[in-house]
Amino acid sequence: YVAPETDTEQQLAELWSQMLRLEQISIRSNFFELGGHSLLAMQLISKINDAFELELNVADLFELGDIASMAEE
């Protein structure tokens, strides 16, 4: 388990936790390996875009895969 260190990582971890219904998520864990699927991915991307005022798409989640990579991007 790698804990979120930055505010961005923390916010992303909270969104992922809500969507995946998990209490704790490592910033290095892959969304799909944690049980995420395409419908949850679309919902998660929508929440991330709203929270961070971005325009990510589901392909970005496939490409980036984990919280650490998303926060860095």
Side-chain angles (χ1 to χ4, degrees):
Y1 171 75
V2 180
E5 294 180 1
T6 67
D7 288 339
T8 301
E9 288 175 349
Q10 181 62 45
Q11 285 181 280
L12 288 170
E14 288 174 18
L15 291 171
W16 283 41
S17 292
Q18 291 170 5
M19 296 305 302
L20 296 169
R21 296 187 176 152
L22 297 171
E23 285 187 34
Q24 195 175 61
I25 295 179
S26 172
I27 63 168
R28 295 288 179 197
S29 294
N30 181 280
F31 178 79
F32 298 99
E33 291 174 4
L34 292 172
H37 52 76
S38 58
L39 180 59
L40 282 179
M42 290 187 312
Q43 293 172 347
L44 177 62
I45 290 298
S46 176
K47 288 184 180 283
I48 290 170
N49 285 340
D50 289 346
F52 293 95
E53 298 180 0
L54 297 172
E55 291 188 27
L56 298 176
N57 59 52
V58 174
D60 295 321
L61 183 56
F62 278 99
E63 183 181 323
L64 299 170
D66 64 31
I67 291 170
S69 298
M70 290 189 90
E72 191 174 301
E73 187 68 26

